[in-house]
Amino acid sequence: DIQMTQSPASLSASLGETVSIECLASEDIYNNLAWYQQKPGKSPQFLIYYASSLQDGVPSRFSGSGSGTQYSLKINSLESEDAATYFCLQDSEYPWTFGGGTKLELK
Amino acid sequence: QVTLKESGPGILQPSQTLSLTCTFSGFSLSTYGMGVGWIRQPSGKGLEWLANIWWDDDKYYNPSLKNRLTISKDTSNNQAFLKITNVDTADTATYYCARLNYYSGAHWFAYWGQGTLVTVSS
């Protein structure tokens, strides 16, 4: 199985700041990576597919990048509504595997 | 508008079979590129992918559940199903169904249901 190591597990940032969340795959996943946002008590919401393609309606302050085994989600100009837990998911090979999640707190 | 809603027993006893239903609207599981997946999340923990079923009836399972899973669909009634046999307390979680998109080799869970909490307890 492909292991997805997500970091950091949590981070705290201020409004207006820029943050990055990383996902490291145990082998090449050929950009087959998606990002999801989950707010407390809610179901996950889809943000990005194929590493860098933004879902319609997702604010442009979200961006994804990476290749091979290393991928990142960047959030520019943090807003209060961005407080959430973020997960990556590799869909390169079955079984699909999620990263452990990053809890983003706004100061 | 795409919506999905999960339904399940709420609570069941160890060794029983968990039957989950995902009732959806706004798409058809007979359309090329469409699929439904099941994902679960124990309280306060991360997400675990369980199974996918595609428009062409291709099915994929997480082998970590050791052949306990069966996914199926009823295209006419816009439903997908997941059965998990021989449950134990470790299967206590919120279970989500989600619509899958497939395009040019990429797949993603585009829409998620609200989730249904399943508790396994004697």
Side-chain angles (χ1 to χ4, degrees):
Chain A
D1 297 4
I2 296 176
Q3 306 303 314
M4 300 301 296
T5 304
Q6 190 170 338
S7 62
S10 63
L11 77 156
S12 181
S14 300
L15 295 175
E17 277 190 34
T18 294
V19 298
S20 285
I21 297 167
E22 313 291 325
C23 266
L24 177 66
S26 59
E27 57 188 85
D28 195 328
I29 57 172
Y30 307 99
N31 288 3
N32 290 302
L33 184 104
W35 289 98
Y36 299 87
Q37 176 194 66
Q38 186 178 31
K39 296 184 179 180
K42 300 292 186 183
S43 54
Q45 298 294 308
F46 169 56
L47 297 175
I48 287 170
Y49 69 99
Y50 204 57
S52 60
S53 296
L54 206 64
Q55 158 80 327
D56 290 347
V58 173
S60 59
R61 64 179 182 275
F62 290 88
S63 63
S65 64
S67 62
T69 62
Q70 297 185 333
Y71 298 87
S72 63
L73 172 70
K74 185 177 176 183
I75 312 173
N76 291 317
S77 304
L78 279 171
E79 299 188 7
S80 57
E81 64 187 34
D82 299 333
T85 300
Y86 293 84
F87 295 95
C88 62
L89 169 67
Q90 71 80 18
D91 62 284
S92 177
E93 181 181 292
Y94 284 109
W96 292 1
T97 43
F98 286 91
T102 295
K103 186 174 183 178
L104 172 60
E105 175 193 84
L106 277 294
K107 292 178 186 172
Chain B
Q1 183 188 2
V2 174
T3 64
L4 304 98
K5 187 171 184 180
E6 307 86 350
S7 56
I11 187 165
L12 66 168
Q13 295 184 337
S15 81
Q16 289 186 320
T17 294
L18 169 60
S19 294
L20 297 166
T21 300
C22 176
T23 302
F24 55 85
S25 64
F27 69 99
S28 172
L29 254 182
S30 59
T31 300
Y32 176 89
M34 292 290 108
V36 167
W38 288 92
I39 306 99
R40 71 180 179 182
Q41 184 174 39
S43 180
K45 297 191 177 180
L47 298 162
E48 180 182 27
W49 171 76
L50 299 176
N52 290 347
I53 188 165
W54 292 97
W55 79 97
D56 58 0
D57 212 35
D58 256 358
K59 300 167 188 174
Y60 297 89
Y61 297 102
N62 192 327
S64 70
L65 275 83
K66 296 186 177 71
N67 302 318
R68 297 168 53 214
L69 301 175
T70 303
I71 193 169
S72 59
K73 61 183 170 71
D74 179 348
T75 304
S76 325
N77 290 307
N78 285 345
Q79 291 181 315
F81 310 96
L82 184 71
K83 287 189 191 298
I84 306 178
T85 59
N86 194 27
V87 299
D88 70 8
T89 54
D91 296 308
T92 294
T94 294
Y95 286 77
Y96 297 100
C97 66
R99 190 191 90 174
L100 280 159
N101 280 20
Y102 168 79
Y103 178 75
S104 194
H107 331 76
W108 59 96
F109 292 115
Y111 300 91
W112 294 63
Q114 64 190 26
T116 186
L117 177 62
V118 174
T119 302
V120 180
S121 174
S122 55

